[in-house]
Amino acid sequence: MTAVTPTRDSARYRIEPTVMQALRSPRLLTREVLAGLVVALALIPEAIAFSIIAGVDPRVGLFSSFIMAVAIAFLGGRPAMITAATGAIALVIAPVAREYGMDYFIATVLLGGLVQIVLALLGVAKLMRFIPRSVMVGFVNALAILIFTSQFPQLIDVPWLVYPLVAVGLLVMYLMPRITKVIPAPLVAIVLLTAAVVVFAWNVPNVGDQGELPHSLPELFIPNVPLTFETLQIIAPYALAMAVVGLLESLMTAKLVDDITDTHSRKTREALGQGAANILSGAFGGMGGCAMIGQTMINVKASGARTRISTFLAGVFLLVLVLALGDVVAIIPMAALVAVMILVSIATFDWHSIRWGTLKRMPKSETAVMLITVIATVWTHNLAIGVILGVIAAMIMFARRVAHFVSVTRTVNAYTATAHYAVNGELFFASSNDLTTQFEYADDPHTVVIDMSHSHVWDASTVAALDAIVTKYENHGKTVTIEGLNDTAAAFHGRLTGNLGSGH
């Protein structure tokens, strides 16, 4: 009997410790449980704040966060990543709640989840390979800035006691890992600051000030909207925007966690899981969401979680905290959670990317792409816009750089009355447009040979340029031979040449 060895693919995506390994290890399980608790505490004010942005009851965001965190723990492709109600999704679908009401809002969430599943089946996750490193660095830095600036409302027009509380919280989280890593530093900071506020009866903003916490479980919600084309016209644009923004933020976050943990996650499964989680969220009256970079960094970086247990328990603890321990949660000072998020923003930012030594060595185009991504994301508060503009900028700069690598060398053999042109480089729309200007049509002898041995034909623009060159020589009564094309380029050229219109 032969032993069954794991396939290369399954080995590539095996992330350790696994759930079973964590369940068997008291140390690992304790770490996962405490990480889930810290994330749940950080989720509560965020979910309430995002509900306000979306223009819905705070319970909608809290229930959505619970459902999505629990669902993605089973359905997602990236262990330890946190999915819940987010500001990016809230901003995209807020106009629906404001203009059409709650039923249309929930219908949009359901359709958005369905669109995500369709996009996942179409292979949209595979497009992640086209996002350059400079865009990824810009995405991370922009997120760090947004996480930091999103704490400003809790630091402006507040009692002076808030500032020393935040400072003490940061100090505790800085020193705690040096003493022990068994208990997550953010949890220690939250407990100590809450205890101090209660003992000394300090009057500072707390979680209870952010909005009313729910007192009952979420219920099945079927939106009362007419199933007509008019309804689809209303919700479809918002659902599509929600699907794209949610997938982009989730897949970028998954890639970031992959880099931090040196592991590989299944991006297509993650995209499918995000869609299914949004449908479940909408079915129970939730606002939908996607991966949360801040809470994910708390879970993975600050707390050291690595399995789906922490994600699942973050959702469970969230529900237990707001339903059973709502009065206790309400007294947690916002200063403690602000300190946690500031630490997360500091840890998230790629400080190496802005060091003078790095900037001197890095090509200016790479730095420019990173800055464009950061500025666009921070300016619009929309991660999708920032990343898309960054990718477009990277494509343009790459095309400009590669276009300069094409050269044409001319030699003339007087004995055979032949002009020989050697073309070197990658030929595509950006580089082939100038190709026609590099030949001496009137001065060349009767026979012309264009040697393509050291170049590649990538698109129809290049074939059209070669046709134009041949036509110009024919107009001068000269014969042109194109040689040296590899099999793929020859087949491509043969299929298109003469079928692209006039060569003039």
Side-chain angles (χ1 to χ4, degrees):
M1 182 176 177
T2 56
V4 178
T5 57
T7 64
R8 184 179 175 185
D9 188 60
S10 63
R12 172 184 170 84
Y13 292 109
R14 180 178 172 82
I15 297 175
E16 293 186 346
T18 63
V19 169
M20 291 308 297
Q21 287 171 341
L23 289 173
R24 293 193 194 103
S25 167
R27 182 181 63 83
L28 293 178
L29 184 58
T30 300
R31 186 177 69 185
E32 296 293 318
V33 171
L34 293 177
L37 179 58
V38 174
V39 171
L41 290 169
L43 276 174
I44 294 169
E46 296 269 303
I48 295 171
F50 297 147
S51 298
I52 294 168
I53 291 172
V56 295
D57 191 280
R59 287 172 293 186
V60 175
L62 288 165
F63 286 154
S64 184
S65 295
F66 155 66
I67 293 164
M68 294 199 74
V70 170
I72 210 69
F74 294 96
L75 303 171
R78 173 66 256 179
M81 192 165 78
I82 304 298
T83 290
T86 59
I89 298 298
L91 285 169
V92 169
I93 59 177
V96 182
R98 186 171 60 248
E99 296 174 24
Y100 300 101
M102 194 63 186
D103 288 291
Y104 280 87
F105 180 84
I106 298 301
T108 304
V109 174
L110 291 169
L111 181 59
L114 185 62
V115 171
Q116 285 182 326
I117 290 175
V118 172
L119 290 174
L121 293 173
L122 291 174
V124 70
K126 293 176 183 175
L127 296 177
M128 286 298 295
R129 71 186 68 176
F130 296 108
I131 296 180
R133 181 187 175 279
S134 51
V135 174
M136 191 69 193
V137 172
F139 165 81
V140 169
N141 290 346
L143 280 172
I145 294 168
L146 288 176
I147 291 169
F148 182 76
T149 56
S150 66
Q151 307 312 307
F152 287 175
Q154 304 298 333
L155 295 171
I156 297 172
D157 288 333
V158 293
W160 68 269
L161 269 171
V162 168
Y163 304 112
L165 283 172
V166 171
V168 170
L170 288 169
L171 187 63
V172 168
M173 287 184 287
Y174 176 73
L175 295 175
M176 189 66 191
R178 298 168 184 264
I179 301 169
T180 178
K181 293 185 179 180
V182 174
I183 304 174
L187 180 58
V188 176
I190 291 169
V191 171
L192 285 178
L193 293 185
T194 303
V197 167
V198 171
V199 168
F200 295 104
W202 289 329
N203 184 21
V204 293
N206 56 35
V207 172
D209 298 330
Q210 305 304 303
E212 185 184 357
L213 300 177
H215 302 288
S216 61
L217 290 168
E219 299 176 352
L220 198 63
F221 187 103
I222 300 174
N224 183 22
V225 296
L227 299 175
T228 62
F229 182 69
E230 185 181 355
T231 300
L232 186 64
Q233 280 184 308
I234 292 170
I235 67 174
Y238 297 103
L240 180 60
M242 168 191 162
V244 172
V245 169
L247 280 183
L248 190 56
E249 186 163 349
S250 298
L251 294 174
M252 292 286 279
T253 304
K255 190 173 186 300
L256 177 60
V257 179
D258 287 354
D259 293 341
I260 291 171
T261 59
D262 290 325
T263 56
H264 299 280
S265 60
R266 299 178 187 273
K267 303 300 186 297
T268 297
R269 178 177 166 181
E270 184 60 46
L272 287 167
Q274 292 288 333
N278 272 304
I279 290 174
L280 287 170
S281 174
F284 285 92
M287 60 181 280
C290 61
M292 299 188 77
I293 183 70
Q295 276 66 19
T296 297
M297 289 299 101
I298 291 174
N299 198 42
V300 175
K301 261 197 168 181
S303 303
R306 290 293 182 270
T307 76
R308 300 176 189 277
I309 296 173
S310 58
T311 307
F312 172 75
L313 289 179
V316 172
F317 280 139
L318 172 63
L319 190 65
V320 171
L321 287 170
V322 298
L323 292 182
L325 301 172
D327 294 338
V328 176
V329 171
I331 64 174
I332 295 174
M334 287 302 297
L337 299 174
V338 167
V340 172
M341 298 310 289
I342 289 175
L343 184 74
V344 166
S345 69
I346 293 170
T348 302
F349 197 91
D350 186 349
W351 297 101
H352 181 266
S353 67
I354 60 170
R355 288 178 186 163
W356 179 243
T358 305
L359 293 174
K360 279 200 301 184
R361 285 191 298 269
M362 194 68 67
K364 289 184 174 60
S365 59
E366 298 277 323
T367 303
V369 168
M370 188 262 285
L371 288 174
I372 288 169
T373 306
V374 171
I375 293 168
T377 303
V378 173
W379 186 272
T380 63
H381 282 239
N382 190 317
L383 297 166
I385 291 176
V387 171
I388 290 168
L389 287 178
V391 170
I392 291 172
M395 290 167 60
I396 292 171
M397 291 182 186
F398 174 76
R400 281 170 56 90
R401 193 162 65 245
V402 174
H404 295 306
F405 292 158
V406 173
S407 64
V408 178
T409 305
R410 175 179 181 260
T411 55
V412 178
N413 189 324
Y415 294 104
T416 59
T418 302
H420 184 276
Y421 287 88
V423 182
N424 288 273
E426 307 300 318
L427 293 171
F428 63 112
F429 62 90
S431 57
S432 60
N433 284 336
D434 294 331
L435 192 63
T436 56
T437 64
Q438 301 190 50
F439 291 82
E440 307 290 340
Y441 302 101
D443 298 334
D444 278 339
H446 182 266
T447 303
V448 177
V449 176
I450 302 175
D451 184 1
M452 306 286 288
S453 301
H454 299 289
S455 65
H456 291 89
V457 176
W458 289 110
D459 61 4
S461 296
T462 303
V463 176
L466 291 173
D467 283 355
I469 292 166
V470 171
T471 301
K472 286 177 182 288
Y473 274 117
E474 287 175 347
N475 289 340
H476 284 83
K478 298 172 183 180
T479 303
V480 181
T481 303
I482 298 176
E483 61 181 35
L485 288 170
N486 60 35
D487 293 342
T488 304
F492 184 72
H493 179 264
R495 189 169 68 251
L496 293 181
T497 186
N499 297 310
L500 296 172
S502 174
H504 298 285

